[in-house]
Amino acid sequence: SQTIHQWPATLVQPVGSPLSLECTVEGTSNPNLYWYRQAAGRGLQLLFYSVGIGQISSEVPQNLSASRPQDRQFILSSKKLLLSDSGFYLCAWTPGAQETQYFGPGTRLLVL
Amino acid sequence: QKEVEQDPGPLSVPEGAIVSLNCTYSNSAFQYFMWYRQYSRKGPELLMYTYSSGNKEDGRFTAQVDKSSKYISLFIRDSQPSDSATYLCAMSVVNAGNMLTFGGGTRLMVKP
């Protein structure tokens, strides 16, 4: 069966520090991968999606970037965090032929 | 106007009640409709998935799609305190790269 992992689960970082969040999927190959951000009490905002290694599409211009170095690994990064980057970051995956997305457990980021 | 509208709640009901959660949408091209359940500080979990119009039942949950009215519903029978969560609707267009459009979520509280 397929599983999706995210780490770390919780992160507290100072403003201006770098960020690296990791997402990995097990039990599937060539998934579509997605990064979302969910601000407190608000809906999901799609940040990046990837249909293959090295293929990244950005939905929202900001100081975040994403990379997909391996088929089942998706990384969200920032060189300098802003206060507004605080939120709940969710990784999701979908088998290529299906419309549904399956979410990971999320990373809670607090920028102080 | 948002593409997908969902009453944020909170919706408070007594245990055992029938719950009706709803979303309206504006894009008539949406063909796939999903409901996710999200517990506090957790990733969304796929509950129901339907294609086009009609009803789908799974245990205590029934998903209903009315494309003519651009309206979808999730019914929960015999609601339990464990159903207390935020419910997100999501929908997508066929062959659009598995991209989902989410509602903002409805927070449900089932009181014992």
Side-chain angles (χ1 to χ4, degrees):
Chain A
S1 63
Q2 300 89 357
T3 54
I4 179 169
H5 303 278
Q6 286 186 247
W7 62 88
T10 305
L11 193 59
V12 181
Q13 292 284 91
V15 169
S17 64
L19 174 74
S20 181
L21 303 181
E22 189 165 343
C23 169
T24 59
V25 182
E26 295 178 355
T28 188
S29 59
N30 197 31
N32 289 354
L33 296 171
Y34 308 82
W35 277 113
Y36 290 88
R37 178 169 58 204
Q38 187 175 38
R42 302 181 69 177
L44 294 166
Q45 179 187 33
L46 179 64
L47 302 175
F48 301 95
Y49 68 95
S50 171
V51 299
I53 295 174
Q55 301 178 62
I56 309 294
S57 296
S58 172
E59 289 294 303
V60 182
Q62 56 203 337
N63 69 319
L64 299 173
S65 62
S67 62
R68 185 170 176 174
Q70 300 179 41
D71 181 44
R72 290 169 291 175
Q73 184 184 33
F74 205 20
I75 296 173
L76 183 70
S77 304
S78 174
K79 292 182 179 178
K80 288 186 179 182
L81 283 168
L82 306 173
L83 287 174
S84 58
D85 291 324
S86 294
F88 191 42
Y89 288 82
L90 289 157
C91 181
W93 74 279
T94 185
Q98 293 186 21
E99 297 296 325
T100 52
Q101 292 182 15
Y102 301 91
F103 286 85
T107 293
R108 191 159 302 277
L109 172 66
L110 180 60
V111 182
L112 300 175
Chain B
Q1 180 189 5
K2 295 180 181 178
E3 270 196 297
V4 180
E5 298 276 2
Q6 192 174 3
D7 187 330
L11 177 63
S12 182
V13 301
E15 182 177 354
I18 297 174
V19 175
S20 173
L21 303 167
N22 311 296
C23 286
T24 58
Y25 62 94
S26 57
N27 187 349
S28 58
F30 286 137
Q31 293 274 36
Y32 293 94
F33 303 92
M34 284 140 271
W35 285 96
Y36 288 84
R37 176 175 62 195
Q38 186 177 22
Y39 291 116
S40 180
R41 297 179 173 268
K42 303 291 185 183
E45 168 196 2
L46 180 65
L47 269 182
M48 302 283 285
Y49 163 53
T50 56
Y51 171 71
S52 196
S53 288
N55 292 1
K56 185 175 182 178
E57 188 174 321
D58 184 1
R60 296 185 296 112
F61 299 90
T62 299
Q64 192 174 76
V65 175
D66 182 349
K67 291 192 71 182
S68 62
S69 301
K70 298 191 182 70
Y71 189 88
I72 68 170
S73 301
L74 178 70
F75 297 97
I76 307 175
R77 291 182 298 280
D78 188 23
S79 56
Q80 303 294 310
S82 58
D83 294 327
S84 298
T86 296
Y87 290 79
L88 299 158
C89 65
M91 42 199 81
S92 69
V93 176
V94 175
N95 295 328
N98 311 111
M99 306 300 288
L100 297 183
T101 302
F102 286 87
T106 298
R107 185 179 166 209
L108 172 66
M109 298 189 303
V110 181
K111 297 186 175 181

